[in-house]
Amino acid sequence: MTLDAVAWEALRLSLWVAVWATVIAVPLALAVAWVLARREFFGKSLLNAVVHLPLVLPPVVTGYILLVLFAPNAPAGAALGAIGLTLAFKWTGAVLAAIVMGFPLMVRAMRLAIEAVDPKLEHAAATLGASRASVFTRVTLPLIAPGILAGAVMGFAKAMGEFGATITFVANIPGQTQTLPIAIWTALQIPGGEGAAAALALLSCVVALGAVLLSEFLARRVAARIAGST
Amino acid sequence: MKLRLKHSFGAFTLDLDMQAGGGITALFGRSGAGKSTVINAVAGLLRPDTGLLEVDGETLMDTARGIHTPPHKRRFGTVFQDARLFPHLTVAQNLDFGTRYAPRGAKVPRDDVISLLGLAALLGRRPATLSGGEKQRVALGRALLSGPRMLLMDEPLASLDSARKQEILPYLEHLRDGPLRLPILYVSHAVDEITRLADTLVLLKDGRIAAQGALRDVMADPAAVPLLGVREAGAVIEAEVVSHADDGLSRLRISAGMLELPGVHAPVGARVRLRIMAQDVMLSREKPIGLSALNILPVAVKAIHQGDGPGAAIALQAGSDILLARITRRAVAAMDLRAGAQIYAVLKATTVAPSSIGQ
């Protein structure tokens, strides 16, 4: 049971895609989580539904929608192509698929953390002279930081394991879009590939389990921090 | 400070027009009288339907002109009933939170605040490990160190038990009489707190101002008795400590004569505030003799306020002070009390609780 060059390439690509997806998605997810937790506006339910859609939609449908929107000749794809960013059948497209699929998990973790912060603390900070931005950086952010990390870890794990939307949107190109789960699937298509598949699957399990445990630990830290016992 | 405010929520309407000068202005009202709404509107945390707020000639809010200064620019240090300390910061970090926003001229020396409020031993602790009274002291210190133009206090002692309350009250008195001399708007539904602390009193009822003026005047107004509650009403007068006797009683001079009272800890020569409950004052046509009560003062009936119930509130001129007595309407008739009548007021020595005696 050895990991060959293709397997290592798949792992490297998966990590690369997951890191990018996490870095891009965290600020966006935080903004959306904030809006959902703290603002009342027309269309809030719709935004909430759209954010959570990838969680319940068949991943192949999500991938198909991405393909329709971001193919080089589609409107969004053409616009991005004009600034030199191609997504279809590229690792960048795998990043987009990972962002979309991991987004609901991130938003959920961050929203819970934001909702746990009593706005009265922020009011108190304002009466002491802190502007909105200062209140956020000095009171809210430190209190929800573990929640943001928990969301990031969940998003990272999801990005490592994303399969359906990715293969539909960017196909299965070794070294470009063949991430860890796609490599497992490919190995299973080849007679005698079960050994490699098993090794890769084990690797996936370790990454996923580690991420969930870390996320749980961080979520407990949120509760502890807000209770003031750390 | 000049405040005009009109705000509706549900069937309730708050509609008031009030002034607050130096010293402590107390806003008194039952739960649901709209007190916290006033604090939130002054602090800028709530936008009233219509309102005007002027402080030191500066307009901080004027709905007619669309002026709404955000809370962080108003410089009202606010102490809430729930201390609202930042849980992720230590006591020292909580205290220092607002100092960087304090204008240069308004900085309050940190060491002074720490010693005034007795916070030195708490600096390294986390809010979660503090008692309720300690939390409120830290919250007060934090508000002071933000360099406020005025302090807003929203029921700061309401969530504390009686012993913790007694622990904080002296600090508030020091704040009032000490070198800082910050004006304070103090919201409370506890008569004992306001009689001990306030200089000016505003009585709020059903969202409107029922009475406002100097504490002594409002407390001595028989019409205010039902507003304060018949068990809580009573005049507040000033006295000077003359001597302490071995049996625990102290002799105090008031304008109408001498009183012998227990539980006075202030030193000889000190001026103290006495709250004399209306329900603890008895009246007599003749000078009583052979009575267990030690304190008998000659007084003149000033005004009689008959309510709807069986009770009546009587304002009494005692020297230059006014006392309040609450007796039954039947007794008013039986004694044939009228304005101007010269009678005697009998005060039991135990009627002045130690906690009602302020510096």
Side-chain angles (χ1 to χ4, degrees), chain A residues 118-132 134-135 138-140 142-143 225-230, chain B residues 43 45 71-73 75-78 80 82 84-89 93 96-98 100-101 126 128 142-143 146:
Chain A
D118 190 345
K120 286 176 171 181
L121 283 179
E122 296 164 336
H123 293 164
T127 65
L128 294 168
S131 65
R132 266 166 184 267
S134 301
V135 171
R138 297 187 66 199
V139 178
T140 319
L143 289 174
R225 195 168 259 240
I226 284 167
S229 51
T230 61
Chain B
L45 300 172
H72 69 278
K73 291 193 177 142
R75 295 180 46 227
F76 286 122
T78 310
F80 300 93
D82 48 337
R84 301 193 191 178
L85 301 180
F86 304 123
H88 59 298
L89 302 178
Q93 289 167 328
D96 295 334
F97 187 89
R100 67 171 74 170
Y101 309 115
R126 292 271 176 183
R142 184 178 69 171
S146 70

Side-chain angles (χ1 to χ4, degrees), chain B residues 24-28 194 198-203 211-215 218-219 228:
Chain B
I24 299 183
T25 303
L27 190 60
F28 172 88
I194 57 172
D199 300 301
T200 308
L201 178 57
V202 179
L203 296 184
Q212 69 177 316
L215 174 79
V218 177
M219 291 305 291
L228 292 159

